[in-house]
Amino acid sequence: MASKRTSVKDRTRKMTESTVTSGAIDRRYHGLDFLRASMMLLGVVLHVVITYWVYPDDSVDLRSPDNPFSFVPYRNGDRGETVEGILVLIHFFRMPAFYLLAGFFGALLIDRRGPGRYLWNRTTRILLPFVIGWFVLWPLTRFSFGLGHSMMYPGDGEASLARAFSENPFWSHLPFMGDWPHDLMHLWFLHYLVLFYVVTAPVALWLDRPGGPLRAAAHRVTRTLLVGDLRWLRLPILVGVTALATLLQDAPGLKTSFQFVPDAAVFSVYFVFFLVGWLFYAHREIVGDLDRRAGLHTLAGFALMFFVVYPMGTNWNLAATDADLWFGSRTLQLRIYWIIHSVAMWLAILGLMGLSERVFKASSPTIRYVVDASYWIYLIHFPIAALVPVLFHQWDLDADLKMWVMTLIVSAICFVSYHYLVRSTIIGRCLNGRRYSRELPWRQSASAVPGNVGPS
């Protein structure tokens, strides 16, 4: 009898392990979902406060096609002293974290729905919003930039709002009209995401086939390194691979490309994070393992970035001769910079993943609402983020406070637009997989909270 009970228990344990391994259990990663949404919402903060940046100074021709700061084609008269620190802290980890989560949830999607539904889902939720969004947002953004030029650009005087509108006809900003250089704006992140999906599509189809010895061996090796006996090598390996991917970077700071032709340096770095996210889902028990010392890892990552990586990069940028460099060689210092930068990135990202899953063990209607709204908000915020500081530029308020007020105004406009124009419409279904009630989130029951959806 005891033998029979043991046999039943063993069979039950094996069935459970098989179910977990195959991904049949529909776990909801509420923390990672919220972290992904937070990365998009931080983009709103970044694109509002950057107009108050002290650098570049007025000597930089922001209207030139060769302007390296094309994402800020006008300068606000108010300059915030804290802006640069905010930009550094947001920029060093935000997009790597987003692409890692994009890979994770992409693997989740193909595991639960298959390659056919995966390709259809990515086409309707990523490719179509990218194409349609560019044609809609391009003229709106350039129109906002045009107002900023008329009202705030040094040497042009400060035109009144009425005059700025009259000198800035909307039709001149339509795609392929006017003399503005065409670029991807903030939609560059979708452009590269589409490229990553195209490159990994053959892998997705291969994974749908019955597993063979090669795949089994690869699974054992990666499992040992990520969650097994050799997981102490996890961070060194991730840092090493990332540092190799930065060999194409020719200056400190993660490079961003707004051009339609992909940039190899941008592609190589972010593709590493996308692939690691995909691999993390294959061994998704790593999510629970990241909870250990997550707070310490997060603090260490941000401290390393702010007190070591950032000063080292600033020293590299401002050094007139090799004698002014910390390590006496521009090439050597850049390589050391990227190794430490990679350590800081991975500590911060892995720590934030662990903290997110620890804090958000279960979702709530309010959190779910923010997660659902985040994709739409990131898509449409850029022209609003460019316009609102222009409209309030004569408001006499300290710049370091003013930029946060502007951020709140831009965010409020975006959330209202989501609630009334998207949430219960066909647009909401396209972006989030279904239409939701326009009922305010705090009036909903927790049982109404859906699972993982979104742009990744």
Side-chain angles (χ1 to χ4, degrees), residues 201-219:
V203 179
L205 295 175
W206 176 69
L207 289 174
D208 193 52
R209 300 172 55 193
L214 177 61
R215 195 190 309 176
H219 185 85

Side-chain angles (χ1 to χ4, degrees), residues 175-231:
F176 312 114
M177 299 188 67
D179 56 357
W180 281 100
H182 288 69
D183 59 35
L184 292 166
M185 306 176 295
H186 66 301
L187 298 180
W188 71 270
F189 87 105
L190 286 181
H191 177 59
Y192 281 87
L193 198 53
V194 169
L195 295 176
F196 296 162
Y197 289 135
V198 170
V199 172
T200 56
V203 179
L205 295 175
W206 176 69
L207 289 174
D208 193 52
R209 300 172 55 193
L214 177 61
R215 195 190 309 176
H219 185 85
R220 286 194 300 270
V221 171
T222 54
R223 179 181 178 82
T224 301
L225 294 174
L226 291 178
V227 295
D229 295 337
L230 297 180
R231 63 178 178 274

Side-chain angles (χ1 to χ4, degrees), residues 31-37 39 96-106 273-274 277 353 456:
L32 299 187
D33 225 6
F34 181 76
L35 182 61
R36 175 182 56 180
M39 297 304 99
F98 173 82
Y99 281 116
L100 185 146
L101 294 170
F104 183 91
F105 284 113
F273 286 92
F274 182 84
M353 291 176 67
S456 310

Side-chain angles (χ1 to χ4, degrees), residues 30 33-34 36-38 40-41 125 363-379 414-415 417-419 422-424 427-437 439 441 444 448-455:
H30 298 297
D33 225 6
F34 181 76
R36 175 182 56 180
S38 299
M40 286 187 279
L41 295 178
R125 296 198 196 180
S363 189
S364 69
T366 301
I367 295 298
R368 188 68 245 172
Y369 183 95
V370 173
V371 169
D372 292 335
S374 62
Y375 188 23
W376 165 259
I377 288 174
Y378 190 81
L379 287 176
C414 292
F415 270 105
S417 72
Y418 168 75
H419 189 78
V422 176
R423 185 164 177 81
S424 61
I427 301 176
R429 180 172 183 175
C430 176
L431 297 181
N432 294 322
R434 56 171 287 190
R435 302 183 190 188
Y436 296 104
S437 167
E439 186 180 15
Q444 300 175 22
V449 178
N452 300 99
V453 293

